[in-house]
Amino acid sequence: MNIKFLSASVMMGILLSSCSSTKNAKNDLAVSLPIETSINLNNVTNDKAPVIINPGRFTVSSVTYRLPRVVQGTYSVSDFGKYIDDFKAINYKGESMPVVKVDANTWTIANAKQLDKITYLVNDTFDIETKGGIGGEEPFSPSGTNIEPENYVLNLHGFIGYFDTLKNNQYKVDITGPADFVRTSALQTVDSKTSEDGKSITTSYFAPRYFDITDNPMMYGDLDVEEFMVGDIKIVLSVYSPNKVHTAASLKETIFKMMEAQKAFLGDINTTPRYDIYLYLSDGADDSPKGFGALEHHTSTVVVLPEDMDEEMLASSMTDVVSHEFFHIVTPLSVHSEDVHYFDYNNPTFSKHLWMYEGVTEYFATLFQVSEGLVTEDEFFNKIMEKVQASKNLNDAMSFTIMSENVLKAPYKDQYLNVYQKGALIGMCIDIMMREESNGHRGILSLMKELSNKYGKDKPFEDDKLIDEIVAMTYPSLRDFFDNHVIGDIPINYNQFLNRVGLEIGEGKVETSYVHNAGTLLFGANPEKGQVFFIDAVKDNSFWNEQGVQANDVLKAIDGELFTMANANDLLQKMFMWSPGTDIHVTLERDGKDIEINTTTTKSYTIGDGIFEKADATDAQKALREAWLKG
């Protein structure tokens, strides 16, 4: 038992209790007190959770209360105020006060000196997201909220807002739920009370300021939780699988191996004593989320993925997705601009450097897997080639800094996904250039370590000066690269960089999937007949060739489930998630006759563009490649 921690917790509980008991006393001013908030999961009606906000006494004539329009880590509008119903301001007599709704996320209350508390109901975004939304953009699932009898995804920025003048106030958060709920949160717990009938527990949490409300998600309900150590980091893995298809225990080894490799890759970059991973597995129902991916926080990440992934595909997806989020502890969490440090949730400005925040992070999440032996070099090269091809499908002649700074606006917002493609490739090019300039000794990871030492989580950099600083810290050759390909709009010739490590982009045998050949879909559709069929490209797919599949063969059923136009996307997604070693039963129709394929999947290949070793690669280039891939 950590006595110091226990004492601090007890003292904090006393402090908060004392604060709450001084209502109408001389020291009850809102500017001096933690903002008391409560969410009652026992009183949910129609998927709406009641929230009470008790700020203390105001001395100003009016106050403004907001929910976030945009939250950190996302680069789109969420408008969490759209999900609020029955907003009321209550005075000290228990009477309703007039409220003016200024916009989707903002409420102004006059006669604020009389304001006692605010109450409202919160709709969950998972439900509304999948029913077509309620106008405008919708929150990306991992930043959203879920309210259902068995599971509550509590991204607190969807439940709790802030007063304009009190963003730096402390918060006391009370969450009441059934006693049999499993609850996980990285926020400091200061108290826990069980109801007299033993059916309910109210847990009190402490947040130093509003940022900590947005930065510490929670999950409540029928959860499966595993806690384990990776070196000196405590990992808390919370999994909600509605049909019990996957468990935290089944993912534990994958997460342990991944986190252990990440720690080895990062070396002496400071880490966190605890890291929470919240995984919500969507069963594909109408009211389940469809936006798959993750959202990072300083010490946690929320992940949403399909439940019907097989164990190997889920493990692979978790490695890709969670490793990306964990690498955010480097940037923007340790290295970030003033736009990030002083984030405005209602009217944010954005840094020019998404190439670094998201691109370099994605590059690390790809590179560490080959560096630490989780994937082969060929698998790594395939991932890089996929990013090259995907980046070419977006606007390859657009300034990355201009796109980043204007990411909420057209035409730039439609190019945001390129941060995970070209952004990662920018990181790769810088890495190779630094390796070459330093005879293999320095790379982009060492650059990020130097930037972390110079700045850190509490000291932001000036946005317009970052590239100049990087050039000064590294090599003059990077100046032209930034001017031409990051600030400028000249597409990158990746062969110029790959050649330096004895590689080239060329045509050859490349691994592909069961639904496409290196990006070319294998299927067409006839909506009038309700049919999905193989097209000519199937002849170039080794797996389907071996099964004797021909162009115009109609997909009739997969593992006994009939193809319809309504479920075609779901079944193709299921095929996409097949991995080698999967037992499959496919029914095709050819010339009016059924053809049954009962087999076990093997790796599939096609002829396409890939990254291959140059025939004339020199020993020096091979040595530089080794330094690049293995550090």
Side-chain angles (χ1 to χ4, degrees):
M1 180 180 292
N2 187 322
I3 301 300
K4 289 185 178 179
F5 179 79
L6 178 61
S7 299
S9 299
V10 171
M11 289 303 295
M12 187 60 67
I14 293 171
L15 168 64
L16 294 174
S17 297
S18 299
C19 290
S20 64
S21 65
T22 55
K23 195 75 174 173
N24 295 324
K26 290 183 179 180
N27 62 343
D28 67 346
L29 296 181
V31 293
S32 304
L33 294 178
I35 296 171
E36 297 181 9
T37 66
S38 68
I39 304 170
N40 195 328
L41 305 181
N42 285 334
N43 290 343
V44 171
T45 54
N46 298 321
D47 287 345
K48 299 177 184 179
V51 175
I52 300 173
I53 309 294
N54 189 343
R57 182 167 56 86
F58 287 103
T59 58
V60 293
S61 58
S62 67
V63 293
T64 297
Y65 183 77
R66 303 181 191 271
L67 268 85
R69 176 171 171 257
V70 178
V71 292
Q72 284 181 304
T74 66
Y75 301 93
S76 60
V77 173
S78 294
D79 281 335
F80 282 98
K82 291 190 304 186
Y83 304 92
I84 302 302
D85 286 342
D86 200 24
F87 187 100
K88 294 178 181 177
I90 309 296
N91 65 19
Y92 288 108
K93 297 180 181 179
E95 303 165 337
S96 292
M97 301 172 61
V99 176
V100 175
K101 188 170 185 179
V102 179
D103 57 36
N105 305 294
T106 308
W107 296 262
T108 298
I109 303 160
N111 299 318
K113 295 178 182 179
Q114 303 302 315
L115 177 65
D116 181 20
K117 61 186 176 183
I118 291 170
T119 67
Y120 50 82
L121 301 175
V122 177
N123 287 283
D124 67 330
T125 69
F126 282 12
D127 267 358
I128 294 174
E129 168 198 344
T130 54
K131 295 174 183 174
I134 53 177
E137 299 179 70
E138 308 302 327
F140 178 43
S141 297
S143 70
T145 58
N146 189 48
I147 299 172
E148 59 183 90
E150 299 299 322
N151 174 266
Y152 294 83
V153 176
L154 302 176
N155 272 306
L156 293 179
H157 51 246
F159 293 86
I160 298 170
Y162 60 93
F163 293 92
D164 270 357
T165 55
L166 302 178
K167 271 198 283 190
N168 289 323
N169 271 44
Q170 298 174 343
Y171 278 74
K172 176 176 180 281
V173 181
D174 288 347
I175 299 183
T176 301
D180 60 354
F181 271 7
V182 178
R183 55 208 78 208
T184 54
S185 170
L187 269 183
Q188 182 184 350
T189 302
V190 294
D191 196 14
S192 182
K193 295 179 180 178
T194 303
S195 62
E196 290 186 4
D197 60 9
K199 295 181 179 180
S200 175
I201 294 177
T202 298
T203 307
S204 298
Y205 303 93
F206 170 74
R209 58 191 177 107
Y210 187 69
F211 167 77
D212 298 284
I213 292 291
T214 67
D215 194 46
N216 288 280
M218 303 178 180
M219 195 180 271
Y220 271 53
D222 183 15
L223 311 180
D224 189 29
V225 181
E226 287 282 331
E227 298 185 5
F228 51 96
M229 298 297 295
V230 178
D232 55 356
I233 302 178
K234 179 181 181 180
I235 306 298
V236 182
L237 172 62
S238 304
V239 176
Y240 175 66
S241 181
N243 297 299
K244 310 300 183 186
V245 176
H246 300 282
T247 66
S250 68
L251 284 165
K252 178 179 176 179
E253 183 178 353
T254 295
I255 300 301
F256 178 86
K257 186 176 180 182
M258 175 194 73
M259 298 289 286
E260 190 174 47
Q262 287 184 279
K263 278 181 62 64
F265 178 81
L266 285 173
D268 58 1
I269 289 185
N270 287 332
T271 56
T272 173
R274 170 174 169 155
Y275 197 80
D276 280 78
I277 301 167
Y278 305 92
L279 174 60
Y280 181 101
L281 292 169
S282 171
D283 62 5
D286 288 344
D287 57 354
S288 295
K290 303 295 190 293
F292 302 136
L295 178 66
E296 88 279 358
H297 301 274
H298 272 73
T299 60
S300 64
T301 185
V302 177
V303 187
V304 179
L305 291 172
E307 188 182 37
D308 62 1
M309 283 182 163
D310 65 33
E311 196 165 305
E312 185 175 347
M313 178 63 78
L314 180 60
S316 176
S317 295
M318 287 292 285
T319 298
D320 287 341
V321 171
V322 178
S323 64
H324 174 100
E325 305 308 327
F326 183 75
F327 277 125
H328 274 303
I329 68 172
V330 180
T331 183
L333 304 182
S334 290
V335 182
H336 56 257
S337 70
E338 293 166 325
D339 304 81
V340 174
H341 198 73
Y342 305 109
F343 190 78
D344 186 329
Y345 299 94
N346 215 254
N347 188 28
T349 58
F350 289 95
S351 169
K352 297 177 179 178
H353 302 297
L354 277 178
W355 68 268
M356 184 178 73
Y357 299 147
E358 295 295 342
V360 171
T361 299
E362 176 67 9
Y363 174 61
F364 284 161
T366 307
L367 178 66
F368 99 98
Q369 295 186 52
V370 68
S371 177
E372 301 302 322
L374 300 184
V375 300
T376 66
E377 290 186 11
D378 284 343
E379 289 172 323
F380 171 74
F381 295 150
N382 286 344
K383 287 187 178 183
I384 293 298
M385 193 65 222
E386 288 172 3
K387 292 185 181 300
V388 171
Q389 292 169 329
S391 71
K392 301 298 183 183
N393 292 329
L394 293 159
N395 188 343
D396 199 33
M398 175 181 280
S399 164
F400 232 75
T401 53
I402 292 175
M403 183 270 286
S404 299
E405 199 170 27
N406 297 279
V407 70
L408 293 188
K409 305 172 185 175
Y412 306 104
K413 66 179 181 178
D414 292 335
Q415 300 300 312
Y416 168 70
L417 287 179
N418 216 6
V419 301
Y420 303 106
Q421 314 302 334
K422 188 174 182 177
L425 297 170
I426 287 170
M428 179 192 75
C429 293
I430 294 171
D431 199 12
I432 291 174
M433 291 175 70
M434 290 186 64
R435 291 290 180 185
E436 184 179 46
E437 292 275 13
S438 66
N439 293 318
H441 296 299
R442 295 180 73 195
I444 196 166
L445 178 59
S446 62
L447 169 63
M448 296 311 300
K449 289 182 180 181
E450 292 170 36
L451 287 170
S452 294
N453 290 335
K454 182 172 183 177
Y455 291 102
K457 66 178 183 178
D458 297 320
K459 182 182 178 183
F461 60 76
E462 292 184 48
D463 211 59
D464 290 335
K465 295 182 178 180
L466 178 67
I467 288 175
D468 290 338
E469 289 188 62
I470 288 175
V471 172
M473 294 167 70
T474 56
Y475 309 100
S477 59
L478 269 66
R479 178 81 262 172
D480 286 344
F481 178 81
F482 278 114
D483 287 345
N484 292 330
H485 306 303
V486 183
I487 300 169
D489 56 11
I490 300 173
I492 300 171
N493 180 348
Y494 296 105
N495 259 333
Q496 289 183 354
F497 298 90
L498 293 171
N499 287 171
R500 302 180 192 194
V501 290
L503 301 171
E504 63 183 352
I505 295 174
E507 188 175 79
K509 181 180 176 182
V510 294
E511 189 175 336
T512 188
S513 81
Y514 308 99
V515 298
H516 64 69
N517 287 339
T520 301
L521 194 66
L522 299 179
F523 309 102
N526 185 332
E528 292 182 2
K529 292 185 177 180
Q531 292 179 338
V532 175
F533 54 87
F534 283 96
I535 62 174
D536 286 342
V538 72
K539 69 179 184 296
D540 298 320
N541 186 284
S542 66
F543 174 76
W544 292 117
N545 243 335
E546 291 167 4
Q547 310 311 315
V549 175
Q550 300 176 12
N552 298 315
D553 285 352
V554 175
L555 278 165
K556 196 169 181 181
I558 298 290
D559 295 331
E561 187 172 358
L562 294 177
F563 255 89
T564 67
M565 294 312 296
N567 71 1
N569 282 336
D570 290 339
L571 290 183
L572 291 177
Q573 176 73 18
K574 180 178 180 179
M575 293 170 67
F576 178 75
M577 291 188 295
W578 287 346
S579 56
T582 303
D583 293 329
I584 63 169
H585 178 198
V586 179
T587 303
L588 304 178
E589 182 180 318
R590 183 188 302 161
D591 300 329
K593 297 180 179 178
D594 285 354
I595 297 172
E596 304 292 342
I597 298 175
N598 290 289
T599 190
T600 300
T601 54
T602 57
K603 282 189 176 182
S604 188
Y605 297 90
T606 190
I607 300 299
D609 287 339
I611 296 173
F612 306 99
E613 179 170 289
K614 293 179 65 178
D616 59 352
T618 67
D619 288 342
Q621 289 171 335
K622 292 177 181 178
L624 190 61
R625 187 197 314 160
E626 180 72 10
W628 168 45
L629 297 181
K630 300 300 181 182

